[in-house]
mmCIF file of all heavy atoms in Angstrom:
data_model
loop_
_atom_site.group_PDB
_atom_site.id
_atom_site.type_symbol
_atom_site.label_atom_id
_atom_site.label_comp_id
_atom_site.label_asym_id
_atom_site.label_seq_id
_atom_site.Cartn_x
_atom_site.Cartn_y
_atom_site.Cartn_z
ATOM 1 N N HIS A 272 124.827 116.880 99.251
ATOM 2 C CA HIS A 272 124.573 115.523 99.726
ATOM 3 C C HIS A 272 123.068 115.263 99.724
ATOM 4 O O HIS A 272 122.265 116.195 99.685
ATOM 5 C CB HIS A 272 125.069 115.340 101.171
ATOM 6 C CG HIS A 272 126.534 115.526 101.343
ATOM 7 N ND1 HIS A 272 127.456 114.605 100.947
ATOM 8 C CD2 HIS A 272 127.235 116.556 101.883
ATOM 9 C CE1 HIS A 272 128.669 115.041 101.235
ATOM 10 N NE2 HIS A 272 128.560 116.236 101.802
ATOM 11 N N LYS A 285 103.133 117.374 101.927
ATOM 12 C CA LYS A 285 103.106 118.826 102.124
ATOM 13 C C LYS A 285 104.531 119.381 102.123
ATOM 14 O O LYS A 285 104.809 120.403 101.490
ATOM 15 C CB LYS A 285 102.412 119.162 103.447
ATOM 16 C CG LYS A 285 102.365 120.632 103.746
ATOM 17 C CD LYS A 285 101.697 120.895 105.086
ATOM 18 C CE LYS A 285 101.793 122.373 105.434
ATOM 19 N NZ LYS A 285 101.357 122.645 106.788
ATOM 20 N N SER A 302 104.324 105.014 96.266
ATOM 21 C CA SER A 302 103.762 104.097 95.273
ATOM 22 C C SER A 302 102.275 104.419 95.149
ATOM 23 O O SER A 302 101.676 104.989 96.062
ATOM 24 C CB SER A 302 103.969 102.637 95.684
ATOM 25 O OG SER A 302 103.179 102.323 96.809
ATOM 26 N N GLU A 304 98.553 103.031 94.891
ATOM 27 C CA GLU A 304 97.742 101.861 95.209
ATOM 28 C C GLU A 304 96.285 102.178 94.905
ATOM 29 O O GLU A 304 95.853 103.316 95.016
ATOM 30 C CB GLU A 304 97.867 101.495 96.693
ATOM 31 C CG GLU A 304 99.241 101.059 97.104
ATOM 32 C CD GLU A 304 99.320 100.698 98.581
ATOM 33 O OE1 GLU A 304 98.259 100.657 99.262
ATOM 34 O OE2 GLU A 304 100.435 100.471 99.058
ATOM 35 N N LEU A 319 106.107 105.415 101.165
ATOM 36 C CA LEU A 319 106.718 104.125 101.482
ATOM 37 C C LEU A 319 107.531 104.124 102.773
ATOM 38 O O LEU A 319 107.649 103.103 103.433
ATOM 39 C CB LEU A 319 107.599 103.659 100.317
ATOM 40 C CG LEU A 319 106.864 103.396 99.015
ATOM 41 C CD1 LEU A 319 107.849 103.018 97.914
ATOM 42 C CD2 LEU A 319 105.828 102.296 99.190
ATOM 43 N N THR A 323 109.532 110.424 106.362
ATOM 44 C CA THR A 323 110.897 110.584 105.846
ATOM 45 C C THR A 323 110.877 111.139 104.431
ATOM 46 O O THR A 323 110.091 110.710 103.595
ATOM 47 C CB THR A 323 111.637 109.226 105.836
ATOM 48 O OG1 THR A 323 111.633 108.688 107.155
ATOM 49 C CG2 THR A 323 113.072 109.370 105.358
ATOM 50 N N ASP A 329 123.244 121.416 99.799
ATOM 51 C CA ASP A 329 124.431 121.567 100.648
ATOM 52 C C ASP A 329 123.983 121.756 102.099
ATOM 53 O O ASP A 329 122.817 122.046 102.378
ATOM 54 C CB ASP A 329 125.310 122.731 100.170
ATOM 55 C CG ASP A 329 124.597 124.062 100.224
ATOM 56 O OD1 ASP A 329 124.458 124.610 101.336
ATOM 57 O OD2 ASP A 329 124.159 124.548 99.164
ATOM 58 N N VAL A 342 110.348 125.301 107.262
ATOM 59 C CA VAL A 342 109.933 123.969 106.809
ATOM 60 C C VAL A 342 110.003 123.036 108.019
ATOM 61 O O VAL A 342 111.024 122.970 108.706
ATOM 62 C CB VAL A 342 110.842 123.450 105.670
ATOM 63 C CG1 VAL A 342 110.420 122.066 105.226
ATOM 64 C CG2 VAL A 342 110.808 124.421 104.491
ATOM 65 N N MET A 350 124.616 108.021 113.911
ATOM 66 C CA MET A 350 125.342 107.665 115.132
ATOM 67 C C MET A 350 126.494 106.707 114.831
ATOM 68 O O MET A 350 127.291 106.416 115.690
ATOM 69 C CB MET A 350 124.389 107.005 116.125
ATOM 70 C CG MET A 350 123.175 107.843 116.436
ATOM 71 S SD MET A 350 123.585 109.344 117.268
ATOM 72 C CE MET A 350 123.234 108.879 118.922
ATOM 73 N N SER A 361 124.871 108.513 99.937
ATOM 74 C CA SER A 361 125.692 108.841 98.771
ATOM 75 C C SER A 361 124.824 108.929 97.517
ATOM 76 O O SER A 361 123.752 108.332 97.439
ATOM 77 C CB SER A 361 126.791 107.792 98.567
ATOM 78 O OG SER A 361 126.226 106.584 98.079
ATOM 79 N N ASP A 362 125.293 109.701 96.540
ATOM 80 C CA ASP A 362 124.567 109.820 95.265
ATOM 81 C C ASP A 362 124.358 108.451 94.634
ATOM 82 O O ASP A 362 123.280 108.162 94.107
ATOM 83 C CB ASP A 362 125.326 110.724 94.291
ATOM 84 C CG ASP A 362 125.215 112.198 94.656
ATOM 85 O OD1 ASP A 362 124.332 112.559 95.446
ATOM 86 O OD2 ASP A 362 126.021 112.985 94.129
ATOM 87 N N LYS A 370 116.049 104.262 91.285
ATOM 88 C CA LYS A 370 115.854 103.396 90.122
ATOM 89 C C LYS A 370 115.126 102.114 90.518
ATOM 90 O O LYS A 370 114.220 101.663 89.833
ATOM 91 C CB LYS A 370 117.210 103.063 89.489
ATOM 92 C CG LYS A 370 117.114 102.322 88.179
ATOM 93 C CD LYS A 370 118.484 102.177 87.540
ATOM 94 C CE LYS A 370 118.380 101.476 86.207
ATOM 95 N NZ LYS A 370 119.702 101.299 85.580
ATOM 96 N N LEU A 372 113.021 101.618 93.049
ATOM 97 C CA LEU A 372 111.614 101.868 93.356
ATOM 98 C C LEU A 372 110.803 102.219 92.118
ATOM 99 O O LEU A 372 109.633 101.860 92.021
ATOM 100 C CB LEU A 372 111.483 102.988 94.394
ATOM 101 C CG LEU A 372 111.948 102.631 95.792
ATOM 102 C CD1 LEU A 372 111.802 103.822 96.716
ATOM 103 C CD2 LEU A 372 111.213 101.433 96.342
ATOM 104 N N ASP A 373 111.418 102.911 91.151
ATOM 105 C CA ASP A 373 110.702 103.281 89.937
ATOM 106 C C ASP A 373 110.326 102.070 89.094
ATOM 107 O O ASP A 373 109.398 102.130 88.302
ATOM 108 C CB ASP A 373 111.538 104.241 89.085
ATOM 109 C CG ASP A 373 111.557 105.642 89.667
ATOM 110 O OD1 ASP A 373 110.747 105.930 90.566
ATOM 111 O OD2 ASP A 373 112.392 106.450 89.225
ATOM 112 N N ASP A 376 107.662 97.271 90.130
ATOM 113 C CA ASP A 376 106.491 96.514 89.697
ATOM 114 C C ASP A 376 106.796 95.575 88.537
ATOM 115 O O ASP A 376 105.977 94.751 88.168
ATOM 116 C CB ASP A 376 105.361 97.461 89.268
ATOM 117 C CG ASP A 376 104.796 98.221 90.443
ATOM 118 O OD1 ASP A 376 104.970 97.763 91.588
ATOM 119 O OD2 ASP A 376 104.186 99.272 90.216
ATOM 120 N N ASP A 385 120.625 77.243 90.749
ATOM 121 C CA ASP A 385 122.084 77.271 90.831
ATOM 122 C C ASP A 385 122.547 78.560 91.474
ATOM 123 O O ASP A 385 122.261 79.635 90.977
ATOM 124 C CB ASP A 385 122.716 77.167 89.442
ATOM 125 C CG ASP A 385 122.396 75.850 88.775
ATOM 126 O OD1 ASP A 385 122.114 74.876 89.489
ATOM 127 O OD2 ASP A 385 122.434 75.816 87.545
ATOM 128 N N ALA A 389 128.118 83.212 96.667
ATOM 129 C CA ALA A 389 127.735 82.932 98.048
ATOM 130 C C ALA A 389 126.912 84.091 98.613
ATOM 131 O O ALA A 389 127.010 85.227 98.148
ATOM 132 C CB ALA A 389 128.990 82.737 98.890
ATOM 133 N N GLY A 403 123.083 98.240 86.240
ATOM 134 C CA GLY A 403 123.932 99.227 86.902
ATOM 135 C C GLY A 403 123.725 99.334 88.399
ATOM 136 O O GLY A 403 124.560 99.880 89.104
ATOM 137 N N GLU A 407 123.771 93.510 97.482
ATOM 138 C CA GLU A 407 124.316 92.335 98.138
ATOM 139 C C GLU A 407 123.413 91.139 97.844
ATOM 140 O O GLU A 407 122.192 91.260 97.903
ATOM 141 C CB GLU A 407 124.364 92.567 99.652
ATOM 142 C CG GLU A 407 124.862 91.399 100.447
ATOM 143 C CD GLU A 407 124.801 91.651 101.945
ATOM 144 O OE1 GLU A 407 124.730 92.821 102.356
ATOM 145 O OE2 GLU A 407 124.794 90.669 102.692
ATOM 146 N N VAL A 409 121.584 87.748 98.596
ATOM 147 C CA VAL A 409 121.106 86.965 99.733
ATOM 148 C C VAL A 409 120.304 85.789 99.204
ATOM 149 O O VAL A 409 119.869 85.785 98.057
ATOM 150 C CB VAL A 409 120.228 87.806 100.700
ATOM 151 C CG1 VAL A 409 121.031 88.920 101.307
ATOM 152 C CG2 VAL A 409 118.996 88.344 100.023
ATOM 153 N N LEU A 421 120.124 101.652 101.659
ATOM 154 C CA LEU A 421 120.534 103.012 101.983
ATOM 155 C C LEU A 421 121.050 102.889 103.405
ATOM 156 O O LEU A 421 120.269 102.668 104.328
ATOM 157 C CB LEU A 421 119.365 103.993 101.928
ATOM 158 C CG LEU A 421 118.760 104.257 100.566
ATOM 159 C CD1 LEU A 421 117.693 105.329 100.672
ATOM 160 C CD2 LEU A 421 119.808 104.684 99.577
ATOM 161 N N CYS A 427 115.879 97.354 100.474
ATOM 162 C CA CYS A 427 114.841 96.818 99.601
ATOM 163 C C CYS A 427 115.366 95.566 98.934
ATOM 164 O O CYS A 427 116.555 95.461 98.645
ATOM 165 C CB CYS A 427 114.460 97.833 98.521
ATOM 166 S SG CYS A 427 113.824 99.368 99.179
ATOM 167 N N MET A 433 119.929 84.880 88.204
ATOM 168 C CA MET A 433 121.371 84.927 88.460
ATOM 169 C C MET A 433 122.152 85.351 87.219
ATOM 170 O O MET A 433 123.206 85.962 87.329
ATOM 171 C CB MET A 433 121.870 83.575 88.952
ATOM 172 C CG MET A 433 121.337 83.179 90.311
ATOM 173 S SD MET A 433 121.801 84.340 91.598
ATOM 174 C CE MET A 433 123.529 83.992 91.709
ATOM 175 N N TYR A 435 121.654 87.655 85.370
ATOM 176 C CA TYR A 435 121.659 89.117 85.273
ATOM 177 C C TYR A 435 122.701 89.755 86.181
ATOM 178 O O TYR A 435 122.813 90.954 86.253
ATOM 179 C CB TYR A 435 120.292 89.676 85.665
ATOM 180 C CG TYR A 435 119.203 89.552 84.617
ATOM 181 C CD1 TYR A 435 119.181 88.521 83.690
ATOM 182 C CD2 TYR A 435 118.171 90.461 84.590
ATOM 183 C CE1 TYR A 435 118.177 88.399 82.756
ATOM 184 C CE2 TYR A 435 117.148 90.360 83.651
ATOM 185 C CZ TYR A 435 117.167 89.323 82.736
ATOM 186 O OH TYR A 435 116.164 89.220 81.818
ATOM 187 N N LYS A 437 126.652 90.191 88.062
ATOM 188 C CA LYS A 437 128.091 90.107 87.918
ATOM 189 C C LYS A 437 128.695 90.401 89.286
ATOM 190 O O LYS A 437 128.287 91.353 89.964
ATOM 191 C CB LYS A 437 128.571 91.138 86.890
ATOM 192 C CG LYS A 437 130.079 91.255 86.781
ATOM 193 C CD LYS A 437 130.469 92.309 85.765
ATOM 194 C CE LYS A 437 130.484 93.671 86.437
ATOM 195 N NZ LYS A 437 130.948 94.768 85.601
ATOM 196 N N LYS A 438 129.642 89.586 89.683
ATOM 197 C CA LYS A 438 130.317 89.762 90.975
ATOM 198 C C LYS A 438 131.152 91.041 90.942
ATOM 199 O O LYS A 438 131.843 91.311 89.969
ATOM 200 C CB LYS A 438 131.205 88.554 91.231
ATOM 201 C CG LYS A 438 131.775 88.470 92.594
ATOM 202 C CD LYS A 438 132.645 87.226 92.692
ATOM 203 C CE LYS A 438 132.604 86.624 94.058
ATOM 204 N NZ LYS A 438 133.387 85.388 94.141
ATOM 205 N N GLU A 440 134.317 92.842 92.236
ATOM 206 C CA GLU A 440 135.618 92.451 92.807
ATOM 207 C C GLU A 440 136.096 93.479 93.795
ATOM 208 O O GLU A 440 135.980 94.622 93.653
ATOM 209 C CB GLU A 440 136.644 92.244 91.701
ATOM 210 C CG GLU A 440 136.226 91.188 90.709
ATOM 211 C CD GLU A 440 136.060 89.797 91.277
ATOM 212 O OE1 GLU A 440 136.742 89.445 92.271
ATOM 213 O OE2 GLU A 440 135.253 89.025 90.744
#
Side-chain angles (χ1 to χ4, degrees):
H272 298 285
K285 179 181 174 189
S302 69
E304 295 180 7
L319 297 177
T323 303
D329 62 76
V342 179
M350 305 295 261
S361 73
D362 285 344
K370 187 173 182 181
L372 290 179
D373 285 347
D376 292 339
D385 297 336
E407 178 184 340
V409 297
L421 293 185
C427 300
M433 293 299 289
Y435 283 30
K437 173 181 85 175
K438 190 181 213 177
E440 301 298 331

